[in-house]
Amino acid sequence: MAPYAFAVYRGDVPPWLPYISDAGGDPPQSAVFSMGMALIGLMFVMGIYLCYLILETQNINDCKLITWLGKLLILAGFFMCIGLFGIATNPTGHLRRDGSWTWVVLVPHLLGAATFFSSSIGMMALLTFTTFLLERPNWLNRLFVSRATILMGSLLGGLLVLVGLPALSEVEGLKPSPDHGRVYPPGTTWSAFGEWLIVLTFMLFVATFIPMFRRTKITLVVDYKK
C-alpha cells in the first residue's frame, strides 16, 4: 500500500482503481515495489513447500490423489515465484534508452503477471480441493467454506481482468509520459477492479494458512559426520 499511496501523492496514477503495477511502476516507489515482489516470491516458495509437508502429514490414509495434488501445489508455488520475479524486474514505469516500451517492458511484465495470477488461482483451487478431500465426510466446515468462497472471488477477478483489458490499439497510450501520470482508456476500470480483487482474495486466502501453521511444529535436524 505504501507504493500506491506515494504514487497517488506524486500524481503518477489516479487514486481510483489504478493498475497495481502502475502504482509501483515509477521511481522511487518502484524500488520498494520490486523488492517487495521478489521477497514475497521467495517467501511463498518456502510457505507452499511447508503447506505440502503439512498435507502429507495430514494424509493419514495415504491418498495418492492428495499426494499428487501436493506436488502440483509445489509447482504452482514455483510459477508464482517466477511470475512475481517477472513483475519485479519489469516495472511498467521504466523505458528503454530508445524510448521503446510495449514489447520490451510491458509484454514481459504482463507475462509475469499472467503467470502469477493463474498460478495463484491454481494454488487456491488445489488447496481448496485438498481441504475437501482431507475433511471428508465433514468437509462443510469453516475452512473449506472460507477457501471456496475466496476462490470464487478470485475467479471472478480473473474474468473481469480478461473482459476489461484494453484493446491492442490502446496499449501504447499506457506508456509512461514525462508530462502527466497514467491516463487509462475508457473501459479499463473493470480490469483494474479485477486485478485488485485477485490480489485481495489472494491475501485473504493466505490468511487461511495461519490456523494450519499454528498447529505445525517444525524441527530442524542437522547431522554432521566426518
Side-chain angles (χ1 to χ4, degrees):
M1 294 303 294
Y4 163 75
F6 199 68
V8 171
Y9 172 75
R10 288 171 49 87
D12 294 332
V13 295
W16 175 247
L17 288 179
Y19 285 111
I20 297 173
S21 298
D22 288 341
D26 294 292
Q29 65 267 21
S30 60
V32 177
F33 181 79
S34 296
M35 286 190 292
M37 292 296 100
L39 183 60
I40 291 171
L42 291 174
M43 292 177 62
F44 217 79
V45 166
M46 295 184 288
I48 286 295
Y49 185 68
L50 179 57
C51 284
Y52 165 73
L53 295 178
I54 294 173
L55 290 177
E56 284 293 284
T57 303
Q58 293 176 320
N59 188 17
I60 56 177
N61 295 323
D62 196 25
C63 176
K64 299 300 182 183
L65 178 58
I66 293 177
T67 299
W68 277 105
L69 290 174
K71 293 177 180 178
L72 289 176
L73 185 64
I74 295 175
L75 191 63
F78 172 76
F79 278 108
M80 287 169 63
C81 182
I82 295 298
L84 286 172
F85 281 174
I87 294 171
T89 54
N90 295 280
T92 58
H94 291 199
L95 296 171
R96 269 184 57 88
R97 182 176 55 184
D98 59 3
S100 57
W101 178 74
T102 302
W103 291 103
V104 294
V105 176
L106 180 63
V107 170
H109 181 92
L110 290 179
L111 288 174
T115 301
F116 170 71
F117 287 151
S118 58
S119 299
S120 62
I121 293 174
M123 176 273 296
M124 291 186 244
L126 288 169
L127 276 175
T128 301
F129 187 44
T130 53
T131 302
F132 165 76
L133 294 175
L134 289 168
E135 299 293 336
R136 291 178 301 174
N138 302 315
W139 58 271
L140 198 60
N141 53 34
R142 181 183 299 178
L143 179 60
F144 174 78
V145 171
S146 299
R147 286 182 169 177
T149 303
I150 295 170
L151 174 61
M152 292 300 104
S154 68
L155 289 172
L156 175 61
L159 180 62
L160 291 175
V161 168
L162 294 175
V163 170
L165 283 175
L168 291 176
S169 59
E170 299 174 324
V171 167
E172 194 65 23
L174 299 174
K175 182 178 178 179
S177 170
D179 302 320
H180 54 76
R182 291 293 194 284
V183 177
Y184 296 113
T188 58
T189 302
W190 286 112
S191 178
F193 177 75
E195 185 186 46
W196 281 92
L197 184 59
I198 294 175
V199 171
L200 291 175
T201 52
F202 172 76
M203 293 168 64
L204 288 173
F205 198 94
V206 171
T208 67
F209 294 178
I210 296 174
M212 184 170 60
F213 286 171
R214 281 180 176 173
R215 293 193 290 267
T216 302
K217 180 181 179 181
I218 302 174
T219 303
L220 177 64
V221 178
V222 179
D223 187 10
Y224 177 77
K225 296 180 181 179
K226 286 189 176 181

